[in-house]
Amino acid sequence: MRILRFVTVGSFCFSFQYVCAVLLAGLGAPWPLSNAAGFLLSAQLNFLLSSGWTWRDRPPGWARSALRRRWASYNATAVLALAINTAVFSVSYRALGALPAAALGVLTGSVANYLICDRAVFRMRRSRWVRPGAGVAVAAEAQGR
């Protein structure tokens, strides 16, 4: 189910990025700058949707510093995924053509992004302080008691 949410958020954010780029280009900004700005805006929306929906079961904790670290880690991951996407496209586009190379780049970058987000950025945090008996209460609640 998480992968479906990841793909849904990614598709929505890609559309958002494209709309932002079209609007900025329509206002006279060069396309490369418009696309970059759209990517940056889309990455922030993606972080919010990923935090609130895709990985909602993995909250960062209550400290603002934890949320800032997660946000910074997410943005670093997005830039890495963009670099992977661009590298795969650059290597494969002469042999495959633009559309298949773009699809391969997006797929490769997305797989890397998902794995890093799942294992690092949105990993389950363990509390340092656990109240005695808290695990029993959570287990009973999960079983409907």
Side-chain angles (χ1 to χ4, degrees), residues 6-7 9 17 50 52 58 60-61 64 67 70 92 103 112 124 132 144:
F6 178 83
V7 169
V9 167
Q17 174 184 345
S50 292
R58 300 179 184 181
R64 284 186 182 182
L67 184 59
R70 182 174 270 184
S92 63
M124 185 63 78

Side-chain angles (χ1 to χ4, degrees), residues 1-48:
M1 193 64 184
R2 186 181 316 277
I3 291 174
L4 180 59
R5 289 191 305 257
F6 178 83
V7 169
T8 301
V9 167
S11 298
F12 178 77
C13 289
F14 173 76
S15 299
F16 179 79
Q17 174 184 345
Y18 185 72
V19 167
C20 289
V22 167
L23 290 173
L24 290 169
L27 293 173
W31 266 101
L33 180 62
S34 298
N35 187 58
F39 174 81
L40 292 173
L41 291 170
S42 174
Q44 305 323 298
L45 177 60
N46 197 314
F47 174 74
L48 292 173

Side-chain angles (χ1 to χ4, degrees), residues 40 43-48 51 60 64-78 121-122 125:
L40 292 173
Q44 305 323 298
L45 177 60
N46 197 314
F47 174 74
L48 292 173
S51 294
R64 284 186 182 182
S65 61
L67 184 59
R68 280 194 300 268
R69 277 192 306 275
R70 182 174 270 184
W71 176 79
S73 296
Y74 180 84
N75 279 285
T77 302
V121 176
F122 295 103
R125 308 262 187 239

